[in-house]
Structure formats: structure tokens, C-alpha cells
Amino acid sequence: MLEIKNLRVELEDEDKKILKGVDLSVGTGQVHAIMGPNGSGKSTLSYVLSGRDGYKVTDGTAALNDEDLLDMEPEERAAAGLFLAFQYPVEIPGVGNMTFLRTAVNSQRKARGESEYSAGEFLKIVREKAKSLKIDANMLKRPVNVGFSGGEKKRNEILQMAMLEPKMCILDETDSGLDVDAMKLVAEGVNALRSEGRSFLVITHYQRLLDHIKPDVVHIMADGRIIKTGGPELAMEVEKNGYSDLLKEHGISEEMA
Amino acid sequence: MAAAPQKIEAAQTRLDAMELPKGGFTAAARADALDRVTRMGLPGPRDEYWRWTNPAGLNAVAPAAAAPFHPKDEPANFDVFDRIRLVFVDGVFDEDLSDDPVVNGVELVRLQEADDRDIHWAQPVYGVLEAAGQKPVDRPYAALNTAAASDGILIRVTGKASKPIHIDYRHQSEESDPVLHHVIKLEEGAELTLLESGPAGARFNIVTEIDVAPRAVLHHLRVQGREQQRQALTHIFARVGEEATFKSFTMTANGALTRNECIIDIVGDDARAHVAGAALGDGKTGPFHHDDTVFVTHAAERCESRQVFKKVLKNGAKGIFQGKILVKEGAQKTDGYQISQALLLDEDSQFLAKPELEIYADDVVCSHGSTTGAIDETALFYLRSRGVPHAEATALLVLSFMADAIEEIDDEALRDDILSRLEGWLSRHRS
């Protein structure tokens, strides 16, 4: 599904290397987690994959089902099946959540040469999905993320995911700013969307989210590289011992991480 | 202080080239206005009030030629609304195109027709609100209008008007230069929705005097058309009485020059006055210069005023905002708010703002703000990451930017009408 090879990335404005040769392969239907200390490059990886400005790829490749992602505009990557759930979903006053969702879904359908949904068809689908994700229909009427609680914003991301039906979902620190109950609700939503044809890359600082979204593979990222890959037990190890031992093992000082 | 000789000369030259109706019931007001404009002169480039808008094109004896614009895809001109339509073609009333002006609760007559008489209900308003609005700032073109107006509509509302009145301006001649003067009088408790659309000519000067009696409600909605070359100069002079409501919204798309002045005197306690505008300009399709100049005076207690102005500018378009809230002594518990914001879609465009507060009462809440910014890159990326193409994402963010101003329109159907016009403009101006 997702193949990343030797990805090296710098900030565009300053001469700072963030990713220093990332190799990662996520198989179809798999859930991978990336854990790592702050500043290790986890969020940068998610931004670079989804096409945010401000980064310069100096080497390496990233492909989604053999399509070169790095050559595409952000909207093309989305239409190709990539989805990024934001750590901080953006508020857009004056634009209704429903309008936003319909514009997004229809833009992707159009890009793929599929017919666009009418307002009526769309309404029916979005209501069903919202209901199955236990999302209050009132959230659809409000402006995008405006006045939403932290939990509502993250659930709105999951609703978008449900509507857009991506193949590859990247969740960037989806647990940040959530209490345990809100996190559980969001995790339930994600689990409901797990399927054979859909892969997930869950980026998180803490192990607790992985109690609810069970990964197949766990990667530890530090200093712009994946330094260790293992099964779910790796997350437990980090939870117990922190990152220090792992970093030392790889000759990375905690400041560098 | 006497006006500079060249300003007086400019007024004289301009007046000499105009036909000045003698007037019936308006005769005294016209003579007084003529005297005032002769003494004030026309605006000069050194006038503080015209620092950012060059009056040369307005001062010229003949207007610059402006080709009429006949778009095939013009949105329905308020056609879905059951309203009384009054059509002016290049400033001349067209009876055949207009509806029979019969509306319950409304008395309606053309200025030209009414001016045959010596006495008329409009007499205490015509030129009177305009004259009152000349302090503390001279507004020579408004005085010129009172003196020279060839026609207009006089509307007196005595109850709840059964349908909106729509003044539909059409522009056909490249050189038309109409001067129109409307008087709207809402009697106590009356209600009216007034719609205006289109460019009235190649260059036009429109004054609208609006007297809102206690507990009356006026909703005014104006769309200034999509013409590229026309020059618009408008003044609204409103007097707002006790517990009355005055709301005015203007949408402007395109136009070589637009200067919209709105002068509101809140004279009765517990009254409300809101004035809002949304302007869109793209220098690529023609020069765009848009100036909103607003002056709100609070002279009564517990009144609320709001000014909400948004401009979207690209490819060298220029936006101006001059807005003032004056709170007079004794106007306690005033709630005054003013915001002017520009969204610059590139680095070539420009927004200049002069927000002012002048307060002589000690128990008031007044605020003003002005911002100039670009599209929020994070929001743009958010939308694009959901599959929305760049141009469409930008359009959504422009609508988001405009939202506060659009929300000033109370009627949902009218709000949707404006929204679809904005969307249409945005889809035509993507590059």
C-alpha cells in the first residue's frame, strides 16, 4: 500500500534536516504505529506524505499503490486515496460542515471520473455514516470545527474519513488533547473503519491510544529515522521504560531526538 | 475657511455643464444645496476625506466612457422574489419595464412627477437629511445631487409593506451620467425591504435620504452590478428614531470607481443601525477602486450600531475604508462596533483603512478593528488534503472570510441570493 524509501527532507526556509532516510512499508489492510519522542520527525512525515508546503524532499521516494506521491498536489494525493487526520483540525467559520464534506467528496469523485452526488443523495449517506459513528447530526449544520470541543473536532476528522473512504489513513497524534473517554470514542470510530482494503499509519507519542487501536506493527522513530520496528510489544516496552534506552542504544542523545 | 479657488471653479464648471431643474416642492432645498456646493467647491486631491480616492474622474464635466455590460450568465435579478420593480434606464424611469407601483402600506411616486407640486410629504426630508449630514465633513457631491437631481423615487411607508420595492438600474449608453435622488420615509411602526440592483449609468450620483420613524424597520439590500468601467458615487443619509431598526447591506463586484458613503444619525433611544458591505475586485479584468466611507452618530441612549465591511482584492485592486463612530454627550449605554477587513489574494493589491472613534459619553462600549491578510495557508492545506482543488478551496475560504458581513442580512432567501452571486464571481475569477 504505502512504500517509503530513504526519504530525506529539509525545511524549505532554513537549512535544517528533519527526515534523514526513512524506510517504511505498510501492507494493505495493516495498521502500523509510529511512536517516538517529540521532535523526532513524526508529524513532518505525515505532512510530507500529504503534500504540505514548506518542506524540501532531497532524496528518496514515497508511493501509494505504486503511484509516486511526492509528485502530486495535495488534492491529487487525496483523490488517490490518502487521508491525513490532523492533530489540530482547522476551524473554517462561515462554511457549513455539510458543504465542506460534500465539496470534498464530490471533488474526489470528479477527480476519479465518478459521478458527483446530488445534495439529496449526499445528505442520506452522510446521515447514515454520522449515525453509525454516533455523531450528532447538529455537528453537520455547524461551521467546520468552529466551537467544537477537542473530541468533536477529532470525531469530525473520523467522519470525513468515513465519507471519503480513503485507502491509506494517517492519524497524526489523534489522541492529543483528548481525555480517556473522548479518546475511546475516536478509537471506536477508527476501528469501525478498519477493513481488509484499508491501511492505517497511527502516529502517537503515547502507548495509550494503541490500547484502543491495536497495531500490527510498531515503529520507533528518532532523529528523523525509524530506529526500531517490532510488534505491539514494542509499544509496551516504550510505555514501561521510556525512550531513553532505545535512544542510547542507537547513539542518539535526547536533545537530538 | 473659504474653499480653495480651484475647488470652487471645479464646482462652477461642473454646474455650468448641467441642467438644473428649478423644482416645485424641492425648489427651496435645491437652491440651498446649489448655494452650499458653490461655496464648498468640489473635492480636491488635498482634501483629507479624499486622500485615498482621486476625485478627478468625478469632477470631470463628462464621464469617461463606460461600455454597458451584458453578461449572459447574470444571476436572476431578484426575480424569485415577489416584489415591485421600478426600472431606470440610464437614469430615466421606464414605465413599460416597471411594475404598477401598487403596494399595500406604501405610497410611491416619482420625484419628477411629484415635483410639479409645491407641497409634498417629502418636503421635510428632501435635501434636509443631506444638509444635516454635511457636518462635520463636507460632502459636496451630495449637495450637488440635491440641487441637480433629475429624478428619483419618493416612498412613504405607513404600515408593513406587503412586498419589497426593487429599484432596478440599467445601463445602456456609454456616456450616461444620471443624478438620482430618492426619499424613503417610514412612518411610526412601518416596515419595508428596499432592494437596489445594477449600475445606473456610465457614471452616476445617487443620494438616498431615509427617515426611519420610531419603531419602524428598514432592510436595505443593494447589489451594484458587475460592470468593469462604471463610476459609482452614492450617499445614504439615514435618520433613525426611537426603537427603530435600520439595516443596509451592499455587495459590489467590479467597477472602476465606487465610493459609497453612508451617514447615519441615531436620534431616538434604543435604536439599531447596521451597515455592512462585501466588495470583490479583480484588477485583471479592469481597474477596481472601492471606497466605503461611513459616519455613524449616536445622539441617543442605549443604541446599537454595527459596521461590518469586507473586501476581497486581487491583481492590483484597491480597497478603502473610512469609518467613524461619533458618540455625542449624553448618548449613554451606546454599543458601537466597527470592523473592516481585507483579504488580499496577491501582493499587488492594497487596502487602506481609517477607523475612528470619537466619544463624549462616559458609559459606552465601542470597539473598532481593521485587518489586512492573505489566505490562511493552514486552512488551504486542510481543504486540499481533503481533495478540494486549490481554486475551489480558495473560493471556500473567501466565502468564509465574507461570512460575518453576509450574516448581517436577516432574510435567508436574500442571503442565499447574495451568496450565489459571490460564488458566481469567485468561479469566474479563479486565476
Side-chain angles (χ1 to χ4, degrees):
Chain A
M1 174 71 74
L2 181 67
E3 289 289 339
I4 303 170
K5 288 190 183 129
N6 190 34
L7 188 61
R8 291 172 189 270
V9 171
E10 294 175 8
L11 287 183
E12 215 165 54
D13 297 343
E14 44 187 308
D15 190 22
K16 193 178 173 194
K17 295 180 171 62
I18 310 282
L19 299 183
K20 302 172 182 174
V22 173
D23 290 286
L24 183 69
S25 172
V26 181
T28 303
Q30 286 188 330
V31 176
H32 286 223
I34 296 187
M35 300 183 70
N38 290 327
S40 57
K42 305 186 299 287
S43 287
T44 297
L45 178 63
S46 72
Y47 288 146
V48 170
L49 291 175
S50 49
R52 188 170 186 157
D53 283 346
Y55 302 99
K56 193 166 84 190
V57 177
T58 56
D59 202 2
T61 58
L64 181 68
N65 291 328
D66 299 327
E67 277 188 274
D68 180 8
L69 278 178
L70 303 177
D71 235 17
M72 297 185 210
E73 295 295 332
E75 54 269 32
E76 293 170 336
R77 301 179 196 207
L82 187 76
F83 181 89
L84 170 65
F86 278 50
Q87 181 177 3
Y88 303 109
V90 181
E91 296 185 8
I92 309 178
V95 175
N97 213 8
M98 189 75 91
T99 305
F100 164 61
L101 279 169
R102 188 152 66 94
T103 307
V105 170
N106 278 340
S107 296
Q108 292 202 11
R109 291 183 68 88
K110 200 170 155 190
R112 290 193 293 256
E114 298 160 10
S115 68
E116 295 179 40
Y117 287 127
S118 71
E121 282 171 327
F122 186 80
L123 190 67
K124 206 175 148 224
I125 301 169
V126 80
R127 280 201 178 135
E128 274 168 20
K129 299 235 175 183
K131 200 175 163 192
S132 72
L133 292 168
K134 295 179 191 157
I135 285 170
D136 187 353
N138 276 326
M139 225 161 90
L140 298 167
K141 292 181 192 156
R142 287 153 61 188
V144 181
N145 292 325
V146 177
F148 285 27
S149 69
E152 283 176 326
K153 281 183 181 169
K154 297 296 168 76
R155 275 154 73 201
N156 200 25
E157 296 289 284
I158 305 304
L159 176 63
Q160 291 165 38
M161 195 192 285
M163 290 305 300
L164 294 166
E165 300 181 326
K167 297 182 185 120
M168 178 74 230
C169 308
I170 305 173
L171 275 58
D172 185 15
E173 309 254 0
T174 287
D175 51 335
S176 76
L178 298 188
D179 59 31
V180 178
D181 292 335
M183 188 176 68
K184 271 187 192 164
L185 263 175
V186 171
E188 269 174 37
V190 172
N191 287 330
L193 295 174
R194 285 177 76 155
S195 75
E196 275 177 22
R198 183 172 293 144
S199 309
F200 287 84
L201 187 60
V202 181
I203 293 173
T204 183
H205 187 74
Y206 301 104
Q207 185 264 340
R208 58 174 197 173
L209 180 66
L210 305 179
D211 284 343
H212 304 286
I213 305 174
K214 297 258 190 296
D216 302 304
V217 182
V218 174
H219 308 275
I220 306 297
M221 192 167 181
D223 192 27
R225 282 172 297 142
I226 306 281
I227 58 166
K228 192 167 185 177
T229 295
E233 74 286 347
L234 187 54
M236 305 302 285
E237 196 184 313
V238 168
E239 178 71 5
K240 215 167 107 192
N241 304 327
Y243 291 108
S244 307
D245 293 351
L246 273 169
L247 297 181
K248 241 179 263 165
E249 208 176 293
H250 287 82
I252 299 166
S253 74
E254 296 208 22
E255 291 86 65
M256 277 164 74
Chain B
M1 199 179 77
Q6 58 268 43
K7 291 174 60 178
I8 291 178
E9 202 183 306
Q12 208 50 60
T13 310
R14 185 75 200 277
L15 286 163
D16 286 348
M18 293 177 96
E19 211 176 297
L20 301 177
K22 212 167 141 279
F25 80 90
T26 64
R30 285 177 188 271
D32 173 65
L34 183 62
D35 179 53
R36 285 186 283 118
V37 67
T38 309
R39 280 187 288 115
M40 275 186 257
L42 291 184
R46 292 218 185 103
D47 288 358
E48 173 68 18
Y49 222 51
W50 289 86
R51 215 170 86 193
W52 292 326
T53 295
N54 185 349
L58 300 170
N59 288 356
V61 167
F69 180 59
H70 295 297
K72 290 190 188 74
D73 55 347
E74 183 75 68
N77 198 5
F78 298 130
D79 285 344
V80 297
F81 301 95
D82 183 19
R83 83 282 192 217
I84 293 291
R85 182 161 64 177
L86 305 167
V87 180
F88 284 88
V89 180
D90 290 307
V92 178
F93 185 76
D94 190 315
E95 202 166 335
D96 295 338
L97 291 174
S98 300
D99 294 327
D100 203 9
V102 180
V103 192
N104 286 339
V106 178
E107 226 176 277
L108 209 151
V109 64
R110 284 172 59 199
L111 170 63
Q112 209 181 70
E113 208 173 291
D115 219 5
D116 285 346
R117 279 173 266 166
D118 290 336
I119 296 170
H120 196 268
W121 61 258
Q123 197 162 6
V125 184
Y126 187 93
V128 173
L129 300 192
E130 174 265 301
Q134 297 284 353
K135 283 178 197 140
V137 184
D138 283 351
R139 304 174 198 277
Y141 288 115
L144 180 101
N145 179 299
T146 297
S150 61
D151 208 349
I153 298 286
L154 311 178
I155 303 170
R156 183 191 196 188
V157 192
T158 50
K160 191 174 185 314
S162 57
K163 40 178 105 166
I165 291 171
H166 172 200
I167 307 177
D168 181 356
Y169 306 104
R170 312 264 176 98
H171 169 205
Q172 287 176 359
S173 147
E174 275 193 28
E175 278 105 33
S176 60
D177 190 21
V179 179
L180 297 173
H181 195 117
H182 309 304
V183 172
I184 324 280
K185 191 171 196 297
L186 286 100
E187 301 290 358
E188 180 153 1
E191 279 180 42
L192 176 72
T193 296
L194 176 68
L195 308 172
E196 287 183 278
S197 67
R203 174 175 78 178
F204 53 94
N205 176 341
I206 298 177
V207 164
T208 308
E209 292 175 294
I210 305 176
D211 191 12
V212 192
R215 287 162 286 284
V217 178
L218 177 82
H219 288 280
H220 174 231
L221 185 105
R222 173 166 67 170
V223 290
Q224 292 186 302
R226 279 166 45 197
E227 288 214 342
Q228 299 294 349
Q229 293 163 310
R230 60 106 185 110
Q231 301 180 77
L233 175 64
T234 76
H235 290 80
I236 292 171
F237 294 92
R239 179 165 63 192
V240 187
E242 196 182 339
E243 292 174 35
T245 298
F246 170 88
K247 290 194 90 172
S248 175
F249 176 92
T250 300
M251 173 183 164
T252 312
N254 310 341
L257 176 71
T258 306
R259 165 106 164 188
N260 290 331
E261 296 199 23
C262 187
I263 300 95
I264 303 173
D265 272 337
I266 307 178
V267 297
D269 295 340
D270 303 293
R272 259 181 352 135
H274 292 198
V275 51
L280 304 140
D282 181 356
K284 198 174 163 190
T285 47
F288 180 84
H289 181 106
H290 188 279
D291 176 338
D292 280 303
T293 291
V294 180
F295 200 112
V296 176
T297 304
H298 282 263
E301 293 188 25
R302 297 177 303 276
C303 294
E304 183 210 299
S305 73
R306 280 173 75 82
Q307 303 172 35
V308 183
F309 287 89
K310 306 264 181 165
K311 296 184 204 294
V312 176
L313 307 168
K314 64 195 283 194
N315 293 316
K318 195 166 173 181
I320 313 291
F321 175 79
Q322 307 185 99
K324 181 157 182 168
I325 305 173
L326 168 65
V327 180
K328 287 196 167 172
E329 206 179 325
Q332 302 296 10
K333 308 279 183 199
T334 287
D335 179 359
Y337 176 76
Q338 177 196 92
I339 183 88
S340 63
Q341 295 180 300
L343 181 64
L344 306 183
L345 295 180
D346 53 44
E347 283 167 12
D348 303 329
S349 302
Q350 196 183 14
F351 177 59
L352 301 162
K354 191 170 76 173
E356 289 180 281
L357 288 177
E358 196 175 326
I359 301 173
Y360 297 99
D362 55 10
D363 185 13
V364 303
V365 180
C366 281
S367 63
H368 64 50
S370 183
T371 66
T372 306
I375 286 278
D376 178 352
E377 289 297 329
T378 308
L380 185 64
F381 172 61
Y382 187 60
L383 290 168
R384 294 179 72 193
S385 78
R386 298 304 180 245
V388 183
H390 193 288
E392 226 171 306
T394 304
L396 271 179
L397 293 175
V398 170
L399 291 176
S400 164
F401 167 77
M402 293 279 197
D404 299 345
I406 310 298
E407 274 161 27
E408 285 292 323
I409 305 167
D410 286 350
D411 184 279
E412 200 181 335
L414 288 172
R415 203 162 52 223
D416 287 347
D417 181 279
I418 294 297
L419 264 178
S420 70
R421 288 170 196 264
L422 292 172
E423 282 165 3
W425 190 91
L426 289 168
S427 73
R428 287 187 298 273
H429 293 262
R430 285 199 165 168
S431 56

